[in-house]
């Protein structure tokens, strides 16, 4: 079922490691984390969607190998009740890339890219790869309404432990933070989707209040 993702992982990891046992071990770890029962949205399909977005913009990516590592590990640690998922994920990526012998500058860059997915807020000074990573991760916000609605249902499942009133309050605050931003997307191809994302967010907020 996940053969497409495993093949993508193998193509990447083979550039950095000839140790097939290690490469398989790292894949098994990724697959195991992203397949946990608590992940209705932040799962392997989420990775698959991000990589599909990356494939569409491959020619614009400055360091595709490093960006792939950031994508693979950006949600590897995920617990809806914790606030340090991005930090733990970045630390895991740092551990793996150190083991693979990547340059310290690349390890630091990957760490920083993953940490940016905590707030999804950038400045003009951030690199194009960082901007694409954020836009890939938030692409779901600009989908057709029916697909967007499936996304909201999946997120709700991940926060099953919170009663409706408490969940709606927290979700509304998160959505408002997106609307309050000057921009949701940071690259030209995704800025064209900005209004669609805002319309979806407003519609979800109306549903939460209903």
């Amino acid at each position: 079922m996940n053969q497409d993702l495993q093949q993508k992982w193998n193509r990447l990891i083979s550039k950095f490691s000839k140790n097939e046992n290690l490469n398989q071990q790292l894949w098994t770890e990724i697959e195991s984390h992203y397949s946990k029962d608590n992940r209705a949205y932040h799962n392997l399909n989420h990775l698959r969607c991000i990589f599909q977005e990356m494939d569409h913009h491959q020619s614009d990516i400055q360091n595709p190998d490093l960006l792939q590592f950031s994508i693979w590990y950006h949600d590897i640690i995920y617990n809806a009740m914790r606030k340090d998922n991005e930090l733990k994920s970045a630390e895991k990526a740092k551990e793996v890339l150190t083991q693979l012998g990547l340059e310290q500058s690349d390890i630091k860059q990957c760490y920083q890219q993953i940490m940016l997915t905590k707030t999804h807020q950038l400045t003009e000074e951030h690199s194009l790869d960082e901007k694409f990573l954020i836009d890939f991760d938030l692409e779901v916000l600009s989908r057709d309404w029916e697909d967007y609605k499936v996304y909201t249902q999946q997120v709700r499942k991940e926060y099953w432990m919170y009663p409706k009133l408490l969940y709606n309050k927290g979700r509304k605050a998160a959505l408002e933070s997106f609307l309050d931003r000057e921009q949701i997307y940071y690259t030209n191809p995704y800025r064209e989707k900005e209004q669609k994302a805002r319309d979806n967010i407003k519609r979800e907020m109306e549903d939460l209040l209903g």
Side-chain angles (χ1 to χ4, degrees), residues 10 43 54-55 64-65 92 183 193:
N10 288 341
N43 51 30
M54 183 176 175
D55 288 344
D65 290 343
K92 182 62 183 176
Q183 61 193 92
K193 307 171 184 280

Side-chain angles (χ1 to χ4, degrees), residues 54-71:
M54 183 176 175
D55 288 344
H56 293 326
H57 303 282
Q58 192 73 36
S59 61
D60 296 318
I61 305 299
Q62 297 164 333
N63 191 335
D65 290 343
L66 196 63
L67 187 59
Q68 282 190 70
F69 277 123
S70 295
I71 293 169

Side-chain angles (χ1 to χ4, degrees), residues 1-2 7 10 13 29 31 39-40 49 54 56 86 92 105 109-110 115 153 158 170 176 183 204 207:
M1 179 181 176
N2 300 317
Q7 289 173 349
N10 288 341
I13 198 67
E29 186 175 45
E31 185 178 39
R39 294 170 179 254
C49 290
M54 183 176 175
H56 293 326
E86 292 80 11
K92 182 62 183 176
S105 58
Q109 189 175 344
C110 181
M115 288 303 296
Q153 293 166 348
E158 291 187 343
E176 284 178 336
Q183 61 193 92
E204 182 186 355
D207 287 352

Side-chain angles (χ1 to χ4, degrees), residues 83-208:
K83 303 294 185 184
D84 61 353
N85 291 314
E86 292 80 11
L87 175 61
K88 295 296 186 183
S89 295
E91 289 176 345
K92 182 62 183 176
K94 180 179 179 180
E95 174 190 319
V96 171
L97 298 193
T98 300
Q99 186 177 10
L100 293 173
L102 271 73
E103 296 287 340
Q104 282 300 314
S105 58
D106 287 339
I107 295 172
K108 181 179 179 181
Q109 189 175 344
C110 181
Y111 186 98
Q112 291 174 340
Q113 286 178 354
I114 293 173
M115 288 303 296
L116 289 172
T117 65
K118 183 173 181 64
T119 64
H120 295 95
Q121 289 187 281
L122 306 180
T123 66
E124 283 305 312
E125 284 68 42
H126 284 95
S127 71
L128 186 59
D129 282 5
E130 289 169 334
K131 293 174 181 176
F132 268 118
L133 175 62
I134 296 308
D135 287 357
F136 296 160
D137 200 26
L138 296 182
E139 175 273 336
V140 65
L141 300 179
S142 61
R143 293 182 190 171
D144 291 339
W145 174 249
E146 289 305 314
D147 289 335
Y148 180 91
K149 192 162 63 173
V150 170
Y151 149 72
T152 67
Q153 293 166 348
Q154 291 169 338
V155 171
R156 180 65 179 106
K157 285 181 182 178
E158 291 187 343
Y159 287 86
W160 62 269
M161 70 291 296
Y162 294 103
K164 181 178 179 180
L165 190 63
L166 195 59
Y167 173 79
N168 286 3
K169 181 180 178 181
R171 180 67 177 171
K172 182 173 176 288
L175 295 173
E176 284 178 336
S177 74
F178 278 111
L179 293 180
D180 289 342
R181 299 177 187 183
E182 184 176 338
Q183 61 193 92
I184 296 173
Y185 296 122
Y186 293 92
T187 63
N188 289 334
Y190 289 86
R191 281 176 180 153
E192 297 176 3
K193 307 171 184 280
E194 179 89 16
Q195 191 56 53
K196 179 64 174 175
R198 290 182 179 275
D199 289 344
N200 281 338
I201 291 170
K202 290 175 184 176
R203 187 169 176 180
E204 182 186 355
M205 287 179 66
E206 290 173 0
D207 287 352
L208 290 173

